[in-house]
Every structure is written in structure tokens, then in C-alpha cells.
Amino acid sequence: MSATNIQEIKWNRIYVFILGYNAILVILFYVLKLFYNQN
Amino acid sequence: MSALDWIVLIGSISGIVFYGIWKTREKNKNIEGFLLGNHKTPWWTIGLSVMATQASAITFLSTPGQAFANGMGFIQFYFGLPIAMVIICIFFIPRFFRMKVYTVYEFLEKRFDLRTRLLAASLFLIQRGLGAGITIFAPAIIFSAILGWNLNLTIVIIGLLVTLYTFFGGTKAVSQTHKLQMAVMMGGILTAFFVTISLLPEGIGFFESLRIAGASGKLDIVNFNLDINNRYTFWSGITGGTFLALAYFGTDQSQAQRYLGGQSIAESRLGLMFNAFFKIPMQFIILMAGVMVYVFYQFAPSPVFFNTHAERQIMETPSGEAYQQLQEDWDLEQAKRQELYAGLLAEDQNKFGSEALQSSIIKEKEIRASTKILLSKEIPGIETNDTDYVFIRFILDYLPQGIIGLLISAILSAGMSSTASELNALASTTTVDFYKRLINKSASDRHYVFASKGFILMWGLIAMSFAAYGSLFENLIQFVNIIGSIFYGTILGIFLAAFFLKQATATPVFIAALISQAIVLACFFLTDIGYLWYNVIGCGGVILLSLVLTEIRKKEVLD
């Protein structure tokens, strides 16, 4: 990523993406637990 | 350890040290270059450096052990981290960059006054100075117990190597070596993960392992239980985890120095977003490696207690036979469980019963509890929590030659990466916040670089000395965690007051910080409140008292 591109980043989109991505990870972990955990 | 392991270990560690020195061979004549790498650090180096700073040797040794003993639930501790990263990107980084600070405590003088800056910087030096000793001591004590290495020699070698490249190359050397250290750490843990799966008995692969781990309750990854006595839940991760990550990444110079050296606000922000993207997956892989080790030990001979040194000691006492008996009971229980697992995988209801497995797990816990009672009776002062030893024992007993060297190198790299950041930050704070500000205000840049190097040596020696006397303190890691919690709350409270309480002025915030710190210390000495709550009390105290005292002061002025 070049320096010019970095300056043009729309930060709110990045923040929403990062929080959304991590929320999806949590959901996937929960699905994994539902699928396998028996205790 | 074989000759091949030693070659891999010495080759990789010395390679990292020489790389750090070689990459920074041009002399830093100005203080900005030495402390902030001339603001030339690209975002991905910042990201790797932030992650390497947080990953200490004890993280690598403890985390798989944690998953082995208690399952994957520990990952919830990191759920607040991405939220904290976003808050730091929005509110902290732009303010630090606008004021062109070398240390985050400098910002406090510009916002409040010198007293507040020195108070926060002093609290950091006490807490991190002790912490640096522990990051060296913790892996050294485990290596000395398991591999028979000389404890003091291990401490001196780790300490000297880190001090060496931090001394020569400053922040740039620390960031550059972090890249290689992260590569060794991730390479090591991924190798361990895949090799462990390959060592499982025939017919048991990754998905079968998940079924076995799940049946044993190791995959309780996300827990929405509201019980506050449960340490790791979704809720404690989102609240306490955010709070701790905010304090650690936002106000601790050992982390802040990583992103303050960025080329621009955007590069620093991207560095933290890199951390927010990879941190949870990385912890997931480390914990999953621990779960795979658990499954592996369901089928391979497993010690009833993982600390080899303690095992040898007990065998030399009259209780040796009793210990042997407990090991035999343990093996018998394991054989019973193997039949249950065969039934589980074959989906044969006659052979597998969830209740039978639960009762076997309870029996196993009882045997372990009896073993620990026996050990503490025969060996006074022994640490009966052996989770830190599980992963290293597994590595040494079962992994092939060469891989052992790689993994020990990964663990040492993790220890060195956090210690380097700590020494770097301690020296920066001592130079910028105390020496340059109070003692010698108008010396040349060259002089300050020289002073910084002197302080790196000084803190390196202090860390090594503290580590050498580490064994005198009982339960050392907990002791340092408590010290951290005692001061973090107050420091974070001061920063949050600086950012969000526009009306707050210097004197009320300073007095509020002193009172809050006194309250936290009173809680520590006089009450039984859990130490994680000290963060909340310290931070909340500073904010509330700042508001109240500012109002009182306003009224006094008006009157």
C-alpha cells in the first residue's frame, strides 16, 4: 500500500470492518462450541 | 536436546540479534532516531512489533497449558482488544501525534502539568521495571526445571542478548528484530500444531480430535453466563478485556513507543488495525495447539505431574512409592477413557456414555489433587500449578529433533521481544521524562542518545538482578500482575480525564490521581477485593474525583 493510498483511507469503514470481522469470529467460535462441546 | 536442536536454537537466536545490530549499523546521532526510529516505521512493522511486544515467553508456555487444563475459554479475554484498538486509533493516536511526543507521559504535561506527567511516568517505571525482571525470569525458571539449565546463567544470557541489540540500535533494532521474532514464534506454533496432529493415533485426525476435546468440555469457547465468579466469559472479555487493553496499549510506553514511531497517523493506525485483525486468530491457534496436546495425551503415556524436576525430587523421598501408585491409577483411568473415546468415534452408544466420561474426568481430577497434596507435603514451597510445564514437557518428550530447537527458540524469542520493548520504553521514559526534563534540559542530541544508552544498560542490569532474586518471591507472576493492576487503573484514569473531561484542570486531576492511588493501595493492604477490580477502582476513582474536585474548584474561584 503506497503512502498516498494510506492517507486516503476511510477510517470509519476500516473500524466497522475490523469490529464486524471480530464479531464474525466470535459467532464462528460459538458455532464451533455448539457443534462439538458436550459439557 | 540434540546437536541439531542446539544448532537451530543458537543459529536462530544469534541470527536475530545480529540482524538487529546489522540493520541499525548506521549510528543514531539524534534522539528522534534512537527513540522513535526517525518516524520511518511502516504500518506492518508496527503491527508485528505491537504483537511481538505483547507475546511474552510465559504467554507461549502458559497459553497451551491453559487450554490443556481449562479449555479454550481463555480466548474471551481478548474479545475487548479490537474495541480498544479502535478507541486508541480514534482518540489517542491523533492527540499524541499532534503534540509530537516521545513518550505518552509528555502529553500529560502539555494537557495538565509537570506533576501529573511525572506521577504517571513514575508509576510506569515502578510497574514495568519489575515486569521486565519477570519476563526474563519466567522462561528461565521453566527451562532450568525442565532442561536442567543453570538458572542464573540463563537469566544473564537472555538479559545480555536483549540489552545488546537494544543498546546498539534503539527502537529501530527493537522493531526490526520483532519481525523475525514473530516469524519464529508463528512458525514454531504452527509447526507444533501440525506435528501434534500427525502424532495422533491412526484414525484420529483434526475433526476427530475436536469431537474428543468437545466431549471433555475443552471447547467451551464462548460463554454467555452472567456469573461474575466465572473469570472468562464473553461479558468479562468485552468489559474488562477492553479496559485492560486500553490501559496496556494506550498508556503503557512499551506499547505506545511501537506506534509513536510510525511515519504518520495513518501508518500507526493501520499498525494497530493489523493487531486487531490477527490477535484473536493467533491466540486461537495457540490455544488450539494446547487442546491438540490434550487429545494427544489421551492416547500417549501422560505424566500425572508435568514438572520433571518436582517428579525427580519426589521420587527421592519416602513418598516416592505413593507417587508411583498415583501414576499407576492415572494410567488405569487413561486406559478406561481410551475405550470410551473409541465408542464416541464409532458412534457406538453401548461403548460411549457421556456420564462415564464425566466420572472418569472427575476421577482424573481427584488423582491430580492427591498428587499435588503429596508433592506439597514432601517438597515445601513447591509450585503445584504445573500448567506452564505441560507444553514444554510435550515438546521435549515427543517432538522430533530440530523442531524442539525451533520451539525453544520461539519461546526465547517471545521472551526477548517483550523484554526489548520494556527496556527500550524504560530508558526512553527515564531520559525524556526525567533526565531531559528535570536534570539536563539543554544538552545536544548526541548527549541524549548517549544518556538513553546508559539507561538501557541500567534497566537491563536492574531487570537481570530482579530476575536473579526472583525465586525469593513466592508466586512471582501473580505478584507482578497485582503490581500492574495497582497502577494501571490510575494511569488510565489520568489519560481518560485528559481526553474526555474537557473541563478538568491540572490540580484536581493530580489530587484525584493521588487519592485514587491511595484508595487502591488501601484495598490491596486492607481488603480481599480481587486484584482485577483495582483497575476499575483506580480509573473510576480518578474520573469521578476529577469531576467533583474540578466543580469544587470552580465554585471557589467564583466565590
Side-chain angles (χ1 to χ4, degrees), chain A residues 1-3 6-9 11-12 14-19 21-23 25-39, chain B residues 43 75 79 82-83 86 89-90 207 210-211 214-215 217-222 224 234 264 266-267 269-270 273 276-277 280-281 284 358:
Chain A
M1 204 180 290
S2 75
I6 286 177
Q7 299 307 326
E8 288 165 4
I9 287 172
W11 288 104
N12 285 344
I14 297 270
Y15 299 146
V16 170
F17 166 72
I18 285 290
L19 295 176
Y21 156 79
N22 280 290
L25 286 181
V26 174
I27 293 167
L28 288 175
F29 294 158
Y30 191 63
V31 171
L32 187 67
K33 168 187 166 167
L34 287 181
F35 210 68
Y36 286 104
N37 207 60
Q38 292 182 14
N39 194 3
Chain B
W43 63 271
I75 199 157
F79 284 176
I83 302 170
V86 170
C89 284
I90 297 172
F207 293 102
L210 287 182
R211 291 181 66 191
K218 300 290 175 195
L219 296 182
D220 189 8
I221 315 176
V222 187
F224 290 106
F234 174 80
S264 62
E267 297 269 357
R269 279 175 165 168
L270 269 186
M273 288 298 99
F277 190 89
I280 292 179
F284 181 82
Q358 290 318 311

Side-chain angles (χ1 to χ4, degrees), chain B residues 296-303 306 327 330-331 334 338 397-398:
Chain B
F296 171 81
Y297 272 126
Q298 301 306 301
F299 300 96
S302 158
F306 281 86
Q327 179 70 57
W330 177 264
D331 295 341
Q334 190 191 28
Q338 283 174 8
D397 286 352
Y398 291 103

Side-chain angles (χ1 to χ4, degrees), chain B residues 4 56 63 79 98 108 138-139 144 166 172 185 222 257 319 322 350 433 472 513 538:
Chain B
L4 180 64
S56 72
T63 314
F79 284 176
R98 216 175 297 139
L108 294 176
S144 76
T166 314
K172 195 180 170 193
M185 283 185 239
V222 187
Q257 197 153 358
S319 297
N350 295 326
D433 295 300
L472 294 181

Side-chain angles (χ1 to χ4, degrees), chain B residues 348-367:
Chain B
D348 183 343
Q349 297 296 329
N350 295 326
K351 282 188 182 168
F352 178 74
S354 182
E355 279 174 21
L357 182 62
Q358 290 318 311
S359 71
S360 174
I361 290 170
I362 291 168
K363 182 87 180 40
E364 188 184 89
K365 281 184 182 160
E366 283 169 3
I367 298 172

Side-chain angles (χ1 to χ4, degrees), chain B residues 112-113 115-116 505-513 549 553:
Chain B
F112 294 128
D113 61 1
R115 285 175 308 176
T116 318
T505 51
T507 306
V509 172
F510 182 74
I511 296 170
L549 293 172
R553 205 175 159 85

